[in-house]
């Protein structure tokens, strides 16, 4: 992710926001996504969607709407699409022990809707690394 950030910074001549640099205060992180991000690049690895802050960022971008934030999913070789059972039982799939997204106004239903959009929407362009 850091290499991609550096490449984008150089190519676009502007700063690229990398969430792993800002994981201390999640309310600030979600607000930054909502107010300052124009494109959310979701680097999909084996663990991305199991992390509550990632689910929160994706949900925040989805709720902001496509006209405000475009979403670009990048699939890595380790990524596998969560099963229908995983999505129906988000409490088991996502490790909420480190973060309660409800305190940020993000419900399980919101997350499910955003993840379904991310994974199944034909309006999104998906990039796959081999």
């Amino acid at each position: 992710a850091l290499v991609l950030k550096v490449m984008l910074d150089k190519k676009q001549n502007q700063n690229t926001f990398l969430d792993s640099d800002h994981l201390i205060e999640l309310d600030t992180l979600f607000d930054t996504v909502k107010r300052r991000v124009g494109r959310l690049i979701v680097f999909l690895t084996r663990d991305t969607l199991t992390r509550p802050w990632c689910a929160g960022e994706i949900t925040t971008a989805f709720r902001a709407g496509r006209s405000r934030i475009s979403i670009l999913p990048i699939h890595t070789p380790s990524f596998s699409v969560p099963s229908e059972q995983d999505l129906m039982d988000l409490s088991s799939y996502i490790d909420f022990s480190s973060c309660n997204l409800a305190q940020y106004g993000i419900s399980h239903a919101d997350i499910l809707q955003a993840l379904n959009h991310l994974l199944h929407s034909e309006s999104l362009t998906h990039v796959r690394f081999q």
Side-chain angles (χ1 to χ4, degrees), residues 30-55:
F30 300 145
D31 189 58
T32 299
V33 169
K34 183 167 56 173
R35 300 187 191 286
R36 298 184 58 208
V37 171
R39 172 177 284 157
L40 182 70
I41 298 173
V42 182
F43 203 67
L44 292 166
T45 65
R46 172 181 45 248
D47 299 322
T48 303
L49 298 182
T50 65
R51 296 179 180 132
W53 60 89
C54 294

Side-chain angles (χ1 to χ4, degrees), residues 1-121:
L2 183 57
V3 172
L4 182 59
K5 176 191 183 320
V6 170
M7 289 171 50
L8 288 170
D9 284 350
K10 285 183 180 180
K11 182 171 176 125
Q12 296 181 349
N13 230 6
Q14 62 186 22
N15 290 332
T16 302
F17 175 79
L18 183 60
D19 69 349
S20 60
D21 293 339
H22 301 84
L23 291 178
I24 295 171
E25 294 185 35
L26 292 183
D27 54 342
T28 304
L29 174 65
F30 300 145
D31 189 58
T32 299
V33 169
K34 183 167 56 173
R35 300 187 191 286
R36 298 184 58 208
V37 171
R39 172 177 284 157
L40 182 70
I41 298 173
V42 182
F43 203 67
L44 292 166
T45 65
R46 172 181 45 248
D47 299 322
T48 303
L49 298 182
T50 65
R51 296 179 180 132
W53 60 89
C54 294
E57 290 174 72
I58 293 163
T59 303
T60 300
F62 174 73
R63 290 198 304 198
R66 285 184 296 186
S67 63
R68 170 68 187 90
I69 300 174
S70 64
I71 299 173
L72 176 63
I74 298 179
H75 297 243
T76 66
S78 71
F79 178 69
S80 61
V81 176
S83 70
E84 202 60 38
Q85 177 62 35
D86 290 333
L87 294 176
M88 289 293 108
D89 189 10
L90 286 177
S91 293
S92 294
Y93 182 67
I94 298 174
D95 180 13
F96 290 110
S97 65
S98 63
C99 172
N100 177 5
L101 293 178
Q103 74 186 38
Y104 303 103
I106 300 171
S107 71
H108 284 206
D110 296 331
I111 296 167
L112 181 60
Q113 186 178 19
L115 292 183
N116 275 322
H117 176 74
L118 175 79
L119 297 169
H120 305 296
S121 175

